[in-house]
Amino acid sequence: MIDPQEVPRFAGVASFMRMPHTHDLDDCDADAAFLGIPFDDATTYRPGARFGPRAVREASTLLKPYNPVTETSLQEYVLVDHGDAPVIPGYIEDTFEEIQARVAYVLAHDVVPAIAGGDHSTTLPVLRAIADEYGPVSLVQFDAHSDLWTEYFGKDHNHGTTVHTAIKEGLIEPETSIRIGDRGGLYSQEDIDLMDDSGVKYYTTEEAISKNLNDIGQRIRERVDEPVFATIDIDVVDPAYAPGTGTPMPGGFTSREILRLTRELHGVNLIGFDLVEVAPPYDNRAGTTSILAANIMFEALCAALDK
Amino acid sequence: MIDPQEVPRFAGVASFMRMPHTHDLDDCDADAAFLGIPFDDATTYRPGARFGPRAVREASTLLKPYNPVTETSLQEYVLVDHGDAPVIPGYIEDTFEEIQARVAYVLAHDVVPAIAGGDHSTTLPVLRAIADEYGPVSLVQFDAHSDLWTEYFGKDHNHGTTVHTAIKEGLIEPETSIRIGDRGGLYSQEDIDLMDDSGVKYYTTEEAISKNLNDIGQRIRERVDEPVFATIDIDVVDPAYAPGTGTPMPGGFTSREILRLTRELHGVNLIGFDLVEVAPPYDNRAGTTSILAANIMFEALCAALDK
Amino acid sequence: MIDPQEVPRFAGVASFMRMPHTHDLDDCDADAAFLGIPFDDATTYRPGARFGPRAVREASTLLKPYNPVTETSLQEYVLVDHGDAPVIPGYIEDTFEEIQARVAYVLAHDVVPAIAGGDHSTTLPVLRAIADEYGPVSLVQFDAHSDLWTEYFGKDHNHGTTVHTAIKEGLIEPETSIRIGDRGGLYSQEDIDLMDDSGVKYYTTEEAISKNLNDIGQRIRERVDEPVFATIDIDVVDPAYAPGTGTPMPGGFTSREILRLTRELHGVNLIGFDLVEVAPPYDNRAGTTSILAANIMFEALCAALDK
Amino acid sequence: MIDPQEVPRFAGVASFMRMPHTHDLDDCDADAAFLGIPFDDATTYRPGARFGPRAVREASTLLKPYNPVTETSLQEYVLVDHGDAPVIPGYIEDTFEEIQARVAYVLAHDVVPAIAGGDHSTTLPVLRAIADEYGPVSLVQFDAHSDLWTEYFGKDHNHGTTVHTAIKEGLIEPETSIRIGDRGGLYSQEDIDLMDDSGVKYYTTEEAISKNLNDIGQRIRERVDEPVFATIDIDVVDPAYAPGTGTPMPGGFTSREILRLTRELHGVNLIGFDLVEVAPPYDNRAGTTSILAANIMFEALCAALDK
Amino acid sequence: MIDPQEVPRFAGVASFMRMPHTHDLDDCDADAAFLGIPFDDATTYRPGARFGPRAVREASTLLKPYNPVTETSLQEYVLVDHGDAPVIPGYIEDTFEEIQARVAYVLAHDVVPAIAGGDHSTTLPVLRAIADEYGPVSLVQFDAHSDLWTEYFGKDHNHGTTVHTAIKEGLIEPETSIRIGDRGGLYSQEDIDLMDDSGVKYYTTEEAISKNLNDIGQRIRERVDEPVFATIDIDVVDPAYAPGTGTPMPGGFTSREILRLTRELHGVNLIGFDLVEVAPPYDNRAGTTSILAANIMFEALCAALDK
Amino acid sequence: MIDPQEVPRFAGVASFMRMPHTHDLDDCDADAAFLGIPFDDATTYRPGARFGPRAVREASTLLKPYNPVTETSLQEYVLVDHGDAPVIPGYIEDTFEEIQARVAYVLAHDVVPAIAGGDHSTTLPVLRAIADEYGPVSLVQFDAHSDLWTEYFGKDHNHGTTVHTAIKEGLIEPETSIRIGDRGGLYSQEDIDLMDDSGVKYYTTEEAISKNLNDIGQRIRERVDEPVFATIDIDVVDPAYAPGTGTPMPGGFTSREILRLTRELHGVNLIGFDLVEVAPPYDNRAGTTSILAANIMFEALCAALDK
């Protein structure tokens, strides 16, 4: 990490936290690698998440390495920026293969993947690589939507079908998985049935708030079995805090709440995570969505490395 | 409503919730009609609310029809987009006549008007039509401002005099009316006197929060007599959540709070409502003000239809 | 068309030029139909063109029906807004089938298609429908890029391969086709070879300007054989005039120049046209890209109908 | 004028060119006074011009006082910022009286009014004051629209009826008046008839460009009789150069062209001018519309004072 | 203050609250003076705070003079807009001298300085002038950052070293000073040591929220000794509420919370205050950061004058 | 350079043209190096140019390597991204030393510096390093302003004094130097005198256009002696094409004109160049200023390498 006391944080090439950029993980002995997945073809409303990785990198140059709440210092770990997975615009299934291969490469080097999407469809190939390495995992999902649709537009793959397919393919164990943040309108009562039938435990935003977030943290830690993969859809946050996303829904968490929730992942065996659906073309000019996303990734990195 | 599983929500002509668009209510047997009132000449600061209806329509294409909290499905009702009332830029009093006539037409067809303003002056002709049909009604007003000025710039009509005139003309019953959300500076102690003398019960934002919103809901339901008209000025919400409005005032409700408050209208005899002061030229690029407005209208529609 | 002297142009549902909106062309005896194609998965840089149709519709409410230069009045023709073709995010080839079917439906009713994209990949299924109806046509292409790539990312379809594939499939006749507006960097000299080998005549922006646009109009009219389809990529215009596009390239035409060029299509047998690559998320807040696009479509409509 | 070598131009209260701000013209012996008219209720599309004066003031802090082309130095004259005319939102005719009175006050002090609108309706009361003082004047109008409508929405006053009413009331002499910049669609051939019948000489944008702007300058000077009032609608400029306006129309003049045209007013007896329709809510974030407007006003001021 | 019932708040030259603008405090018998410090050279990330004073002035035209919570009326006091301190871009130490001189001038006239920055480095010369007049003061700091760095980039002065230097120079008494709002990452554990060693009492945002803001107000009032200077860094607020700032950090106070905290300053002997780090180029288009800043200054003014 | 046929141009870390990023020039045998200078403290109006290098890097990912007009392929050369020079916010003279040292390092490796500013003050230390290596050089300056002020705010260094100081220090030879693009207001006739006395030949924008740009190219090539350094201030371009700059002035070159002018540098012995004053916070959301800047740098690189 470049010394920000010598070179201002607005200077230089914007890799994640200004970490070294390398496509080759053989020699670097990394503990964790930032990986971008710039794919947004499977969104049902606003595109732009293909620029999520670039925007999160830029925002991350503001991050400092020491977490005073958890007393974690990222300077004790080797972090690299592993670039972006190649993607093929217009071809979702071919793209999935590329993504899965790249994540498998990271895992093969025993490196924690810290992934920035991309729309939420991209979590499926990530989970395929994860399950190849670890078997079925517990999923912690922070999200305004369940992503449990069985199909969309007559097709299997879409940013709304990811978790359904992951369960169907045996990539995650629903009975040790949990989702926080549901809210907003649905198509019909059947959507509730899909959620109930999935086996994934969930708390709506209103339930989570009324229970108190400490308590929710406790419930997450009790629910999951190791290993754990966390998938954070930025739309779990309210559009006031994260306007730059594909399907914004009012009534979400505040920044304090999501940072607190992410911090509650300390204590689980977090083997990787992704943060998806940051759509920079719709962000405000200050880029607050990307800045929040970078800070959430910082908290998740602390949880994944300091255990 | 177009099936969003077949045609993505970003596609097609942007009528409200992609409902059929018709100027003729004779044959459609509608339960409720979206009506735009694109007039903003009476604002005391920022104009732009004339584009409110168009922006809310566009944002509404993201809405889904089932409300999981109230278990209301809008698919059980006939909704239409009734277009916009004609307006005459620069001529407030002539415009009022046009608005009143159009709302009267909707009411004559026994259709619930779901109105998108326009600045808050436009609520006066709406209430004239309402009172013609129902006699004086109870008004539930969510608003940062009382709109109880007796005149402005030496004239009767303005977005700050609406409620004063409505009381004076006998359109609403102040003793069964209630206002939630006052905050911010006033001109003088006389403004407080106007509020106290009006007979309308009110709770400031701070009072509403400290009392807890459930309780406020209870008080609303106890206060009003049937029938009830609700007028929601988007500036009751904090500018972080609704920057696109004419006279923004910090310290307002969050999106969770206003959605909750609106949901508390279930149980009153809501015969119509308007949502005013959405000024798209000042919204952020994600259009979060319009998206929030569309979601508030969804909650109000559920309350008006599902009773 | 709604009378703008009675209802201001900012009022009402934003269909194209506020024309009637219908999915059914059987009864309306239309001369021309606006059709949106909201697909942008095949872009190589910035997405957002899926919102092109919606933005052009909104901008078109400012258009007036009489063209004083050509003395064409659109009020003499029946125009409808035919909505958008259904598309399937993430599945380019399935989407192409949907597009082709919808355009075929329009042509089957002897209606001139006035199409708003969408990225430039969508012109391929449009041309398939056109060629099914008319056989190979002359293509007039206003574009900063040749779109003559043989493949991209190892795949056939992309917004950069459209014209190559159209020639390969025999949808257009290169020897009666012409392209105006090439500029900017290429990958290598081979790109020039592809252009020269294609058989399509072309003039770079600099050549077109130095020759004078009247003269270019003359050359277009001499080159083409009937019938003619025009495809206008908004990136032929300079980013100062059209910032809202997927792959902006400085040095393009001004608004005066592109309006003039489009007007030069009067006199050819124009049987339809599309205007593609308007990406509203990247437009400026005044929406000048969409406004220009609407005006170009107005000129093209005049050329297609008044012959 | 504050010395920009001592106090940077971004500092201090933003009066016009950082000139002294005074409501009282009795003692200041001013040669010219900047006057804002913050009224935009009479626009037929986008509002916002009420913030035109404020935005032009802010942009004007970048201006320098010496014009190297005309060798005019504004430092040789006394300039003041006379504030804004009072206006009454929603009441166009009452507002006109306020405007007329304020302009009359300026003229009574033998001060050149340099006016920033406001929408183009506000030119009517300005001309009433001018004609009261000088009798009918020659009008030089730079505008994309003729503003010769006889009525709009069934009413006399609107930003599209200004010149018609001015002629009807005998405020200007059409046969010594001239308009430059017409372009874009009209409602019908009747609009052309209105223009021809008005008696005002006009050149469309295309005609002006093809003739060459020097020549147009010559024609202006030959046409007008003294005294001359100039009214500059910023929409005469292309939206690429002036996106922040109410009814943008592509195909307009560039900044070089409008600055040149304004400079051609040197040599006529210019007794005042207004620059209207700058709508800051639609300007880009750099405020280029306001900056251009401030520079046009600078050129017009040089022409009015240095004769 | 101009009567907003006669002249709308969008009209006229934008001085603070439309108060008279004067560089000369000799004759005006002012109680308080707004002073801008347009300097942002010492920021470590985003510049733009040089336009803070101008933006706060513009936003302040929306303020009304009566505070219904504290029952303070600013109309009982004489307020002036004292313009901006001169600054020298690129020369921080020379600029400090200019600022100090100007604040000293204000204090010499027994006028309460209500200062709008500028970046947080500018508080140092302000405190130098304050200490010259009053001796060491108690500092109340609302801020996401401690600003206790001992140096930055090898230099003494920077927006992160202000409070360290103020303590070192004896301008403030750390043992009667207090800071509210710390949050986010640090460089290392040493940063915590600097905070603990400084002697300044502090509460992080999380601590302040969990304790309840009333209680924090009580602790502030107990901690400070008279006289008190308050320095409010807008970044103490969450970026959702204040995106326009130099080093945004998620997880901050809401607008309700900061307005409440500022109001808690009633009861201390507040002899002046500054509000810094408003960076308008990064604000959203509605200017909500500036509007919030203006409202915070209004609350602070009430606290400083009404005691 | 990454193969854009395999990895889309929106993917990966945004180094200049996605070239390898290295701080060490010893081993890479580079022909040219991109170097950022993120300093903007010396601007007299709008800051933000510190983010110029980052924005130009991002925009450059759209560039393709082959120039069809000059038939230059950048793939035949070794290009690297050399990161940014360290800078010290608030300390202009110390920053100059850092910049000079870094440029000297580049030159010592016989590498062409392709520099992105930063404000125009940063050209002074660049020229110091250049002159150390080459002796006094010919300067080709594309700029709206002469930058010949002798001091500003009583100080030597500022973005308006660069060329004056460069002449005074003997870094450039005025009699073989040339400036194109002057326009807009000045402080007084003395400014003209400074220009005339400087010895630098100059053509205003109007003169350059009326002479025709080919001819201007010829005059540049005749004027300069080798070696040549080119300094391009983006404000030479009109704000419609480059809104994102510190002191925008209407009436400038179009994108076609500046690209053409830059291309005219082919044939001179160009040993380096800088492009300054790109201020991304003021750019439009499409980033057209940065995109234009990247394309100008592409043309200049072709001229510098292909000779």
Side-chain angles (χ1 to χ4, degrees), chain D residues 8-21:
Chain D
R9 291 175 289 176
F10 50 78
V13 172
S15 60
F16 185 71
M17 290 185 80
R18 306 201 293 185
M19 295 295 176
H21 173 211

mmCIF file of all heavy atoms in Angstrom, chain D residues 8-21:
data_model
loop_
_atom_site.group_PDB
_atom_site.id
_atom_site.type_symbol
_atom_site.label_atom_id
_atom_site.label_comp_id
_atom_site.label_asym_id
_atom_site.label_seq_id
_atom_site.Cartn_x
_atom_site.Cartn_y
_atom_site.Cartn_z
ATOM 1 N N PRO D 8 -9.490 36.626 -5.263
ATOM 2 C CA PRO D 8 -9.802 35.709 -6.370
ATOM 3 C C PRO D 8 -11.256 35.804 -6.788
ATOM 4 O O PRO D 8 -12.132 36.147 -5.991
ATOM 5 C CB PRO D 8 -9.501 34.332 -5.778
ATOM 6 C CG PRO D 8 -8.519 34.580 -4.689
ATOM 7 C CD PRO D 8 -8.884 35.922 -4.120
ATOM 8 N N ARG D 9 -11.493 35.468 -8.027
ATOM 9 C CA ARG D 9 -12.828 35.634 -8.585
ATOM 10 C C ARG D 9 -13.864 34.693 -7.996
ATOM 11 O O ARG D 9 -15.046 34.871 -8.193
ATOM 12 C CB ARG D 9 -12.752 35.502 -10.105
ATOM 13 C CG ARG D 9 -12.014 36.689 -10.713
ATOM 14 C CD ARG D 9 -11.817 36.532 -12.191
ATOM 15 N NE ARG D 9 -10.839 35.498 -12.482
ATOM 16 C CZ ARG D 9 -10.534 35.093 -13.702
ATOM 17 N NH1 ARG D 9 -11.142 35.623 -14.741
ATOM 18 N NH2 ARG D 9 -9.632 34.161 -13.891
ATOM 19 N N PHE D 10 -13.412 33.651 -7.287
ATOM 20 C CA PHE D 10 -14.385 32.762 -6.648
ATOM 21 C C PHE D 10 -14.824 33.285 -5.280
ATOM 22 O O PHE D 10 -15.655 32.666 -4.618
ATOM 23 C CB PHE D 10 -13.827 31.340 -6.514
ATOM 24 C CG PHE D 10 -12.464 31.245 -5.904
ATOM 25 C CD1 PHE D 10 -12.288 31.355 -4.530
ATOM 26 C CD2 PHE D 10 -11.341 31.030 -6.689
ATOM 27 C CE1 PHE D 10 -11.035 31.260 -3.963
ATOM 28 C CE2 PHE D 10 -10.081 30.935 -6.139
ATOM 29 C CZ PHE D 10 -9.923 31.046 -4.771
ATOM 30 N N ALA D 11 -14.273 34.402 -4.847
ATOM 31 C CA ALA D 11 -14.544 34.911 -3.498
ATOM 32 C C ALA D 11 -15.613 35.998 -3.503
ATOM 33 O O ALA D 11 -15.786 36.722 -4.485
ATOM 34 C CB ALA D 11 -13.260 35.460 -2.890
ATOM 35 N N GLY D 12 -16.302 36.103 -2.389
ATOM 36 C CA GLY D 12 -17.211 37.225 -2.170
ATOM 37 C C GLY D 12 -18.622 37.000 -2.669
ATOM 38 O O GLY D 12 -18.930 36.001 -3.315
ATOM 39 N N VAL D 13 -19.479 37.947 -2.342
ATOM 40 C CA VAL D 13 -20.878 37.896 -2.750
ATOM 41 C C VAL D 13 -20.954 38.042 -4.264
ATOM 42 O O VAL D 13 -20.305 38.913 -4.835
ATOM 43 C CB VAL D 13 -21.668 39.013 -2.048
ATOM 44 C CG1 VAL D 13 -23.080 39.117 -2.600
ATOM 45 C CG2 VAL D 13 -21.698 38.755 -0.543
ATOM 46 N N ALA D 14 -21.763 37.188 -4.897
ATOM 47 C CA ALA D 14 -21.794 37.149 -6.353
ATOM 48 C C ALA D 14 -22.791 38.151 -6.928
ATOM 49 O O ALA D 14 -23.866 37.787 -7.394
ATOM 50 C CB ALA D 14 -22.108 35.732 -6.818
ATOM 51 N N SER D 15 -22.422 39.422 -6.934
ATOM 52 C CA SER D 15 -23.193 40.392 -7.707
ATOM 53 C C SER D 15 -22.641 40.375 -9.132
ATOM 54 O O SER D 15 -21.602 39.790 -9.393
ATOM 55 C CB SER D 15 -23.067 41.786 -7.089
ATOM 56 O OG SER D 15 -21.719 42.195 -7.079
ATOM 57 N N PHE D 16 -23.341 41.026 -10.062
ATOM 58 C CA PHE D 16 -22.893 40.992 -11.455
ATOM 59 C C PHE D 16 -21.499 41.607 -11.584
ATOM 60 O O PHE D 16 -21.285 42.761 -11.196
ATOM 61 C CB PHE D 16 -23.880 41.732 -12.355
ATOM 62 C CG PHE D 16 -23.539 41.626 -13.811
ATOM 63 C CD1 PHE D 16 -23.695 40.421 -14.495
ATOM 64 C CD2 PHE D 16 -23.015 42.700 -14.508
ATOM 65 C CE1 PHE D 16 -23.364 40.302 -15.842
ATOM 66 C CE2 PHE D 16 -22.673 42.600 -15.858
ATOM 67 C CZ PHE D 16 -22.845 41.398 -16.520
ATOM 68 N N MET D 17 -20.572 40.817 -12.099
ATOM 69 C CA MET D 17 -19.175 41.243 -12.255
ATOM 70 C C MET D 17 -18.598 41.776 -10.939
ATOM 71 O O MET D 17 -17.671 42.577 -10.968
ATOM 72 C CB MET D 17 -19.041 42.276 -13.375
ATOM 73 C CG MET D 17 -19.271 41.672 -14.750
ATOM 74 S SD MET D 17 -18.987 42.856 -16.102
ATOM 75 C CE MET D 17 -17.196 42.828 -16.253
ATOM 76 N N ARG D 18 -19.183 41.350 -9.828
ATOM 77 C CA ARG D 18 -18.813 41.823 -8.494
ATOM 78 C C ARG D 18 -18.917 43.357 -8.373
ATOM 79 O O ARG D 18 -18.154 43.988 -7.630
ATOM 80 C CB ARG D 18 -17.405 41.318 -8.103
ATOM 81 C CG ARG D 18 -17.292 39.780 -8.226
ATOM 82 C CD ARG D 18 -16.196 39.192 -7.425
ATOM 83 N NE ARG D 18 -14.872 39.581 -7.892
ATOM 84 C CZ ARG D 18 -13.745 39.113 -7.401
ATOM 85 N NH1 ARG D 18 -13.771 38.217 -6.421
ATOM 86 N NH2 ARG D 18 -12.599 39.490 -7.880
ATOM 87 N N MET D 19 -19.877 43.904 -9.107
ATOM 88 C CA MET D 19 -20.143 45.336 -9.038
ATOM 89 C C MET D 19 -20.929 45.642 -7.761
ATOM 90 O O MET D 19 -21.556 44.763 -7.187
ATOM 91 C CB MET D 19 -20.970 45.774 -10.259
ATOM 92 C CG MET D 19 -20.247 45.626 -11.570
ATOM 93 S SD MET D 19 -18.796 46.742 -11.657
ATOM 94 C CE MET D 19 -18.087 46.245 -13.243
ATOM 95 N N PRO D 20 -20.949 46.897 -7.328
ATOM 96 C CA PRO D 20 -21.739 47.252 -6.149
ATOM 97 C C PRO D 20 -23.217 46.949 -6.374
ATOM 98 O O PRO D 20 -23.739 47.138 -7.473
ATOM 99 C CB PRO D 20 -21.524 48.767 -6.005
ATOM 100 C CG PRO D 20 -20.271 49.050 -6.750
ATOM 101 C CD PRO D 20 -20.196 48.038 -7.853
ATOM 102 N N HIS D 21 -23.864 46.530 -5.316
ATOM 103 C CA HIS D 21 -25.257 46.146 -5.358
ATOM 104 C C HIS D 21 -26.078 47.256 -4.728
ATOM 105 O O HIS D 21 -25.876 47.594 -3.575
ATOM 106 C CB HIS D 21 -25.430 44.832 -4.579
ATOM 107 C CG HIS D 21 -26.847 44.403 -4.401
ATOM 108 N ND1 HIS D 21 -27.276 43.698 -3.306
ATOM 109 C CD2 HIS D 21 -27.925 44.568 -5.187
ATOM 110 C CE1 HIS D 21 -28.569 43.453 -3.418
ATOM 111 N NE2 HIS D 21 -28.993 43.963 -4.548
#
